[in-house]
mmCIF file of all heavy atoms in Angstrom:
data_model
loop_
_atom_site.group_PDB
_atom_site.id
_atom_site.type_symbol
_atom_site.label_atom_id
_atom_site.label_comp_id
_atom_site.label_asym_id
_atom_site.label_seq_id
_atom_site.Cartn_x
_atom_site.Cartn_y
_atom_site.Cartn_z
ATOM 1 N N ALA C 51 -35.162 -127.483 -243.854
ATOM 2 C CA ALA C 51 -36.121 -126.990 -242.857
ATOM 3 C C ALA C 51 -36.386 -128.048 -241.777
ATOM 4 O O ALA C 51 -37.231 -127.831 -240.901
ATOM 5 C CB ALA C 51 -37.427 -126.601 -243.555
ATOM 6 N N GLY C 52 -35.713 -129.182 -241.883
ATOM 7 C CA GLY C 52 -35.895 -130.228 -240.876
ATOM 8 C C GLY C 52 -37.211 -130.983 -241.005
ATOM 9 O O GLY C 52 -37.716 -131.547 -240.037
ATOM 10 N N ILE C 53 -37.757 -131.000 -242.215
ATOM 11 C CA ILE C 53 -39.041 -131.660 -242.453
ATOM 12 C C ILE C 53 -38.774 -133.030 -243.096
ATOM 13 O O ILE C 53 -38.009 -133.110 -244.063
ATOM 14 C CB ILE C 53 -39.916 -130.796 -243.384
ATOM 15 C CG1 ILE C 53 -40.225 -129.460 -242.708
ATOM 16 C CG2 ILE C 53 -41.210 -131.527 -243.770
ATOM 17 C CD1 ILE C 53 -40.821 -128.427 -243.645
ATOM 18 N N PRO C 54 -39.410 -134.088 -242.595
ATOM 19 C CA PRO C 54 -39.230 -135.398 -243.217
ATOM 20 C C PRO C 54 -39.587 -135.350 -244.705
ATOM 21 O O PRO C 54 -40.625 -134.786 -245.075
ATOM 22 C CB PRO C 54 -40.202 -136.306 -242.455
ATOM 23 C CG PRO C 54 -40.436 -135.613 -241.150
ATOM 24 C CD PRO C 54 -40.300 -134.136 -241.431
ATOM 25 N N ALA C 55 -38.733 -135.914 -245.538
ATOM 26 C CA ALA C 55 -38.946 -135.863 -246.996
ATOM 27 C C ALA C 55 -38.763 -137.259 -247.572
ATOM 28 O O ALA C 55 -37.790 -137.950 -247.259
ATOM 29 C CB ALA C 55 -37.942 -134.903 -247.625
ATOM 30 N N LEU C 56 -39.705 -137.659 -248.393
ATOM 31 C CA LEU C 56 -39.703 -138.995 -248.984
ATOM 32 C C LEU C 56 -39.737 -138.896 -250.494
ATOM 33 O O LEU C 56 -40.352 -137.978 -251.037
ATOM 34 C CB LEU C 56 -41.006 -139.725 -248.642
ATOM 35 C CG LEU C 56 -41.295 -140.197 -247.242
ATOM 36 C CD1 LEU C 56 -42.665 -140.850 -247.255
ATOM 37 C CD2 LEU C 56 -40.215 -141.203 -246.860
ATOM 38 N N VAL C 57 -39.141 -139.864 -251.158
ATOM 39 C CA VAL C 57 -39.323 -140.007 -252.604
ATOM 40 C C VAL C 57 -40.172 -141.247 -252.833
ATOM 41 O O VAL C 57 -39.845 -142.319 -252.327
ATOM 42 C CB VAL C 57 -37.970 -140.155 -253.329
ATOM 43 C CG1 VAL C 57 -38.188 -140.381 -254.821
ATOM 44 C CG2 VAL C 57 -37.103 -138.928 -253.092
ATOM 45 N N VAL C 58 -41.283 -141.073 -253.537
ATOM 46 C CA VAL C 58 -42.106 -142.214 -253.942
ATOM 47 C C VAL C 58 -42.123 -142.183 -255.462
ATOM 48 O O VAL C 58 -42.778 -141.341 -256.067
ATOM 49 C CB VAL C 58 -43.536 -142.137 -253.367
ATOM 50 C CG1 VAL C 58 -44.350 -143.346 -253.812
ATOM 51 C CG2 VAL C 58 -43.504 -142.055 -251.841
ATOM 52 N N GLU C 59 -41.363 -143.071 -256.050
ATOM 53 C CA GLU C 59 -41.257 -143.082 -257.516
ATOM 54 C C GLU C 59 -42.311 -143.999 -258.120
ATOM 55 O O GLU C 59 -42.898 -144.831 -257.437
ATOM 56 C CB GLU C 59 -39.864 -143.533 -257.931
ATOM 57 C CG GLU C 59 -38.818 -142.444 -257.714
ATOM 58 C CD GLU C 59 -37.488 -142.821 -258.337
ATOM 59 O OE1 GLU C 59 -37.316 -142.521 -259.537
ATOM 60 O OE2 GLU C 59 -36.661 -143.394 -257.639
ATOM 61 N N HIS C 60 -42.512 -143.827 -259.422
ATOM 62 C CA HIS C 60 -43.467 -144.688 -260.107
ATOM 63 C C HIS C 60 -42.833 -145.106 -261.418
ATOM 64 O O HIS C 60 -41.621 -145.043 -261.564
ATOM 65 C CB HIS C 60 -44.801 -143.985 -260.319
ATOM 66 C CG HIS C 60 -44.643 -142.558 -260.748
ATOM 67 N ND1 HIS C 60 -44.328 -142.195 -262.031
ATOM 68 C CD2 HIS C 60 -44.698 -141.412 -260.031
ATOM 69 C CE1 HIS C 60 -44.230 -140.884 -262.091
ATOM 70 N NE2 HIS C 60 -44.442 -140.367 -260.893
ATOM 71 N N GLY C 61 -43.643 -145.511 -262.356
ATOM 72 C CA GLY C 61 -43.069 -145.961 -263.623
ATOM 73 C C GLY C 61 -43.460 -147.402 -263.863
ATOM 74 O O GLY C 61 -44.332 -147.918 -263.175
ATOM 75 N N PRO C 62 -42.803 -148.037 -264.818
ATOM 76 C CA PRO C 62 -43.214 -149.390 -265.201
ATOM 77 C C PRO C 62 -43.225 -150.356 -264.017
ATOM 78 O O PRO C 62 -44.064 -151.234 -263.913
ATOM 79 C CB PRO C 62 -42.146 -149.812 -266.221
ATOM 80 C CG PRO C 62 -41.440 -148.569 -266.620
ATOM 81 C CD PRO C 62 -41.664 -147.537 -265.565
#
Side-chain angles (χ1 to χ4, degrees):
I53 297 168
L56 290 179
V57 177
V58 180
E59 285 189 87
H60 42 78

